[in-house]
Amino acid sequence: MCLVLARVPAGRVVTYGTLAELAGFPRAARLVGQTLRKLPRDTQLPWHRVINAQGRISLPGPSAQRQLERLRDEGITPVKGKIDLGHYAWPKPDEL
C-alpha cells in the first residue's frame, strides 16, 4: 500500500478506495485509513494526498487543517470543502 501511495504525484489526490484497489486490496478503504494512522509523524509518504470518495478530507480537527494546507501548497484548491476529483484524481486511465 505504501509503495502505491509513494507514486501519487504532487498536485494530485487519490481516494482511500482507489488506493486500496491499486494496492491489491479491493473494497478495503478502511484498511488504508488504518494504515495511514500508523505512519510515523515524520513520514515522507504523501499521506495528505488521500481523500474520501466524495472529494473531501476525512480527518478531524488540526489534522484536517494540516492536510488542507499541504494540498493547497501543491496547488489543489477545494471549492466549498470539496476537491474536484475529475480534475485532481490520480490515476487517470493513461497513467496506469
Side-chain angles (χ1 to χ4, degrees), residues 18-62:
T18 299
L19 183 58
E21 187 174 333
L22 291 172
F25 301 99
R27 300 181 51 105
R30 289 181 188 214
L31 177 62
V32 172
Q34 293 167 1
T35 301
L36 294 179
R37 276 192 296 278
K38 293 176 185 176
L39 291 175
R41 190 157 175 85
D42 63 347
T43 183
Q44 297 301 306
L45 289 171
W47 61 269
H48 61 282
R49 296 180 188 146
V50 183
I51 60 172
N52 70 30
Q54 289 76 43
R56 298 185 184 277
I57 292 173
S58 293
L59 299 175

Side-chain angles (χ1 to χ4, degrees), residues 46-93:
W47 61 269
H48 61 282
R49 296 180 188 146
V50 183
I51 60 172
N52 70 30
Q54 289 76 43
R56 298 185 184 277
I57 292 173
S58 293
L59 299 175
S63 296
Q65 187 60 37
R66 192 167 66 246
Q67 183 176 9
L68 180 60
E69 288 171 9
R70 288 184 180 207
L71 290 172
R72 284 185 174 151
D73 288 346
E74 293 184 4
I76 299 172
T77 305
V79 176
K80 296 181 182 178
K82 193 171 180 181
I83 296 166
D84 180 359
L85 291 175
H87 183 74
Y88 295 109
W90 178 85
K92 302 277 191 241

